[in-house]
Amino acid sequence: SIPITVAPSPERLAKLAALPGTGLSVSTLPTNAAQILPGPFVPLDPPSLVAAELSDAMRDTVRLGAESLRDTTGNRPDARTQIFRRLDNPSFLELRDSGVDRLVLDPESFANPKGRFTVASPFTIQSGNTKAQAVMNDQALATAMADTDSPALAAQRLIAGATLVSLESPASSRGRGCR
């Protein structure tokens, strides 16, 4: 078996679970709560919300996402880990203040995400004395999986992309993330 972490959209999952005859049940999702990555109930732009002084709304939407996943799957996701497309310094500090200390971020959150190798290992982000562990979402793998109607082709593309990343530095043990 291959360990996998999924980041389902809490809103979509709740809507699917409410539809009769979808076949969605707790048994179709991973049984270990650590394998389900929580996120906000709907997509958020934390920098915009914090700039508009809507930090409470951001925290409520993040909490609602975790509660929705718990109610839909029967497992309690770790609310200390969150996935966001982008963050800036003020929104990062707001999330840390609300207990989030592990992040999955898209490359657009960083000034210079490109390097010789694909960023595949966890790293630390810091603002002053405030730190959090993070991993970068692999946009190329996510795009390769999303651009097809065939689940088998999407799985093949994921395995091929992950293989290429592993060949960049075969001696290192690294994780991958795609959304």
Side-chain angles (χ1 to χ4, degrees):
S1 76
I2 298 173
I4 186 168
T5 299
V6 294
S9 162
E11 176 195 29
R12 289 185 190 145
L13 203 57
K15 285 181 179 179
L16 282 172
L19 292 174
T22 60
L24 181 66
S25 69
V26 174
S27 64
T28 62
L29 297 168
T31 56
N32 183 342
Q35 292 180 311
I36 300 174
L37 185 64
F41 188 73
V42 295
L44 294 179
D45 182 25
S48 297
L49 290 170
V50 172
E53 298 181 4
L54 295 171
S55 298
D56 289 340
M58 179 180 68
R59 279 192 220 111
D60 289 347
T61 305
V62 167
R63 180 187 45 75
L64 182 60
E67 289 174 0
S68 177
L69 286 174
R70 181 199 64 221
D71 294 345
T72 305
T73 66
N75 292 313
R76 184 177 189 89
D78 181 2
R80 292 176 36 211
T81 305
Q82 293 290 325
I83 184 167
F84 288 102
R85 291 218 178 268
R86 73 183 189 100
L87 291 178
D88 62 3
N89 193 50
S91 57
F92 166 66
L93 293 172
E94 280 293 329
L95 286 168
R96 282 296 292 127
D97 287 347
S98 66
V100 174
D101 62 2
R102 293 179 297 230
L103 298 161
V104 178
L105 301 169
D106 282 357
E108 65 190 54
S109 289
F110 303 95
N112 186 17
K114 300 291 182 199
R116 182 170 169 225
F117 298 117
T118 305
V119 178
S121 297
F123 53 92
T124 300
I125 56 175
Q126 182 172 347
S127 177
N129 292 327
T130 304
K131 297 179 183 181
Q133 292 298 306
V135 293
M136 192 177 305
N137 182 26
D138 189 321
Q139 290 296 117
L141 285 179
T143 301
M145 289 177 49
D147 289 343
T148 181
D149 290 330
S150 168
L153 181 56
Q156 288 176 340
R157 287 180 175 174
L158 173 65
I159 291 168
T163 301
L164 289 174
V165 170
S166 72
L167 292 174
E168 289 177 351
S169 183
S172 69
S173 170
R174 308 179 303 164
R176 292 298 321 128
C178 62
R179 177 207 265 267

